Amino acid sequence: MAKQPTGSKTKPSTRRRRSAAKDTVGTNPPPTPQTTESPISSETASAAPVPQERPTTQSRLEPEQPEQPEQPEQPEQPEQPEQPEQPEQPEQPEASPVVAQPPAREAPAPYPESEPPPPSAPARPGLFVVHVTPELATVAKVGGLADVVFGLSRELAIRGNHVEIVLPKYASMRYDQIYDLHEVHRDLWVPWYDGAIHCSVYFGFVHDRKCFFIEPHSGDDFFNRPAIYGYPDDVLRYAFFSRAAIEFLWQSGRHPDVIHCHDWQTALLPVYLYEFYQRLGMTHPRVCLTIHNFAHQGVVDGELLRATGLQHPERFHHHDRLGDPRYPGMLNLLKGGIVYSNFVTTVSPRYAFETKDQGQGFGLEGVLHAHQIKYGGVVNGIDYDLWNPEIDRHIPARYGIETIETKYDDKRALRQRLMLADNEKAIVAFIGRLDPQKGLELVRHAIFYTLERGAQFVLLGSSPDPAINADFWGLKRMLNDSPDCHLEIGFDEELAHLIYAGADMMLVPSRFEPCGLTQMIALRYGTIPVVRAVGGLADTVFDKDHAPRPLHERNGYVFNDYDHAGLESALGRAIACYHDYPGDFRALMHNAMRTDYSWNRPGQDYLNIYDYIRNG
Ligand code: ADP
C-alpha cells in the first residue's frame, strides 16, 4: 500500500470497511446490566463512609438497595421518551449471583520483550482492563483525574488483572518519567472527516504501568502543543483521540473485558463502540465511564458529526442521545458517554447524589435520573506509594505515625524554602487549581484571616485563566514583605509534597468538590484538613467537634456555608486547637494518619462494577 503523506486526510483504500460502517445508522445502544445484584459487596459498601446527610435517593453503590425491578432499563426516563432499541447481546458468561466471574481473558501479547514480574497470585480470574484517559500522573497531570488513573490502574494490576492505559502522546509530557518508550504501531489510520489521519502508537512504562501513547500526524497538531488543555478545538481534539484509541484497540486485536473511560474527553468512545465497532465484531468489551467533574462536558456544534462520521444528525442531536439539555442544537459528549456506557461512576457517593438530585449536574440531572440504574459514586483512593511520608523522596525528613515529631523537621524545611519566619505559629496551606470551583474568594479571605489569627499561610496554585493568575500575583505582591505568608503561583509537584508534609492544616473551601484528593493526601501526612461539607469532602473529612462519629474517626474541621463566617467557624477552631490544646491537636493528627484512603476499597468497588457489567 502506498503510504499517505503525513498530514493527509485522504483515506487509504484499505479502509473501505470503515466507511461501510459509517454509512449505516447505528442501532446498537449499550447493553444494560440484567442482574439486580448491587455491584458492590455489602461488606465493602457498609464500610464506605456515609454522607452526613443521607441522600433521599439511593445510589447504586450504597449499601441498602431498594428492590430493583427485573428489567433495570425501565425506570422513569424523563430525558428518554424514546428508548434505544435493544442491542444484540454478545455471548455472555452465564450470570450467577454476586461472585459470578467471566472466564479469564488471554490478554494480547504485550509489546515489550521483558515484562515486569507478574503480580502475586490472584484469588479470582483476571480481567483485561484498558483505561482510556486524557491524563496520567506522573507524565501528563492537570488535576486529580491523573492521580486516579495512576492509582487505580496499579491497584487493579496488583489484584491480578491485566491493565493497559491509552493516552495521547503530548509534546508537553514528562518524558523523563517514561521508561523504554518505543514505537510499536506505525500505521494506525484513524477516520476523520472524509479521510483518515495517520497516527503512530508508542509503548512505555510509567512507574510499571503499561502505557500506549497515540501520536497523530496531521496539520492539526492535536497534541503537539505546549499545554494539555485550553485550546478552541479541545472538543474535536479529544473526539479524535477517543476514535484513535478504539481504532487502536480494534486494529491491534485487543478485546478488553472492560474499557474504562474518564471524563468528557473520552466519553465518545462508548458511542463509537456501539455505533461503529460492535457491528465490525467488537462485541466483547463493556464500558465503564468515570466522571471526575460535571463542570466540564465537551459541548460542541454539529461539526462533531461531520468530523467523526456519526451521521444522521437527527439521531445524535436527539435528547435521548447526545443532544445537549441546555443549549439547543448543541451536542454534549459527556451526555453521550452517560447514555452509551454500561456503567457510570462519579468520584464520591455524595457527589453522585448532588449531581443527580441537588442541581449540581450542570444540566445533566435528568439524564442521570434516566440512567440512575447504572450510576453511582466510588470515593477515589490515594496512591500510598506516591503519597506516603514514610517513603516520600521529595521530603527531607520521613516520618510515620510513631515518629510524627519528625514532621516538624519538614515544617522547618518548608519555611526555609519559602523564606518564612521560624516561629511557633501554625502553617495553614492551600494546594490546588486556582479555579472558581475551589472557592477562591474564601481562599483569599482565609489568607488574611489566618495572618490575623497569628498563623502562617502557604499557597501553591495556578490557573490557565490569565485574569485569575494576575489577581493572585497582585495578592502575592501585596503580601510579599510578610514573613508569615508565601504564595507560589505555578505547578510544582515536588513543592506540593513538601507542603503536605510541612503544613499543619490544609484548607479546601470548595464551592463544589467531586472527590478532592488534597484533603486525603493531607490526612496521610498528618496535616489536618479544614473543608467545606460538599461532595467527596463531606464523605472523607469528619469534624472534630461535631461529626456524628466516634472520636477516633474524627479527622478534621468542616463547615457548611459558603461564606466568611462559615470558613472562620472551622478555620478558627483549628487554629485555636493547635495553639491552646496541642494534645488534642496531636490526637487529631494520629486519627488523620490512621484514616485509610488507599485504593484497596475503591479497587474492589471497581472490580465489582466490572463484574456487574460483564455479567449483565
Ligand atoms: P482537581 O482534580 O479538581 O484539580 P483534586 O483535589 O482532585 O482536584 O486533585 C488535585 C491534585 O493536583 C492533587 O494531587 C494536588 O496535590 C495536585 N495539584 C493541584 N494544584 C497543584 C499545583 N499547583 N502544584 C502541584 N500539585 C498540584
Side-chain angles (χ1 to χ4, degrees), residues 67-247:
E67 286 239 321
Q68 297 294 343
E70 270 302 298
Q71 293 294 324
E73 69 274 38
Q74 295 308 323
E76 222 181 287
Q77 303 222 353
E79 280 288 319
Q80 294 201 322
E82 180 191 306
Q83 285 293 307
E85 305 88 330
Q86 276 301 310
E88 265 177 38
Q89 290 286 341
E91 259 189 33
Q92 288 297 310
E94 209 169 277
S96 69
V98 190
V99 286
Q101 304 289 354
R105 297 278 305 169
E106 206 178 299
Y111 286 107
E113 290 288 316
S114 56
E115 279 274 24
S120 52
R124 57 194 290 292
L127 293 173
F128 177 22
V129 181
V130 174
H131 285 269
V132 180
T133 176
E135 296 182 36
L136 175 69
T138 52
V139 288
K141 172 168 164 173
V142 175
L145 156 59
D147 296 296
V148 171
V149 180
F150 188 80
L152 176 59
S153 55
R154 165 64 156 256
E155 180 67 26
L156 294 171
I158 288 171
R159 288 164 178 267
N161 301 286
H162 181 94
V163 185
E164 295 177 349
I165 300 170
V166 181
L167 68 157
K169 187 167 179 290
Y170 297 107
S172 60
M173 277 194 306
R174 288 277 305 261
Y175 283 90
D176 60 319
Q177 301 276 321
I178 308 173
Y179 172 69
D180 195 21
L181 183 68
H182 59 280
E183 194 178 39
V184 290
H185 208 306
R186 285 219 171 110
D187 278 316
L188 181 72
W189 288 93
V190 179
W192 198 240
Y193 286 96
D194 295 326
I197 290 181
H198 175 218
C199 298
S200 309
V201 183
Y202 290 75
F203 178 88
F205 290 103
V206 174
H207 294 257
D208 285 349
R209 284 114 180 123
K210 302 178 182 79
C211 299
F212 292 92
F213 303 91
I214 296 182
E215 179 181 54
H217 307 288
S218 87
D220 298 304
D221 266 343
F222 282 138
F223 306 115
N224 189 20
R225 302 182 188 188
I228 292 183
Y229 307 129
Y231 302 98
D233 61 344
D234 274 357
V235 176
L236 288 182
R237 290 169 71 217
Y238 286 100
F240 176 80
F241 168 63
S242 302
R243 184 69 191 262
I246 194 165
E247 182 72 21

Side-chain angles (χ1 to χ4, degrees), residues 443-469:
V443 171
R444 195 185 167 93
H445 180 70
I447 295 172
F448 294 101
Y449 178 72
T450 300
L451 297 176
E452 196 184 299
R453 289 294 305 260
Q456 298 184 320
F457 200 98
V458 169
L459 175 143
L460 171 61
S462 63
S463 168
D465 180 342
I468 295 180
N469 266 342

Side-chain angles (χ1 to χ4, degrees), residues 505-577:
M505 294 152 215
M506 181 64 62
L507 179 68
V508 196
S510 305
R511 281 180 177 281
F512 68 94
E513 191 60 72
C515 178
L517 297 180
T518 46
Q519 84 282 8
M520 294 199 281
I521 299 171
L523 286 167
R524 186 60 166 180
Y525 285 75
T527 302
I528 300 304
V530 178
V531 308
R532 179 152 177 261
V534 285
L537 300 171
D539 282 342
T540 53
V541 182
F542 309 106
D543 192 272
K544 171 184 174 293
D545 301 316
H546 304 305
R549 293 209 154 218
L551 286 178
H552 68 273
E553 288 181 14
R554 301 183 190 183
N555 56 14
Y557 291 88
V558 179
F559 65 100
N560 285 306
D561 295 339
Y562 189 83
D563 55 26
H564 291 182
L567 172 97
E568 291 176 13
S569 75
L571 188 53
R573 282 186 295 129
I575 295 172
C577 182

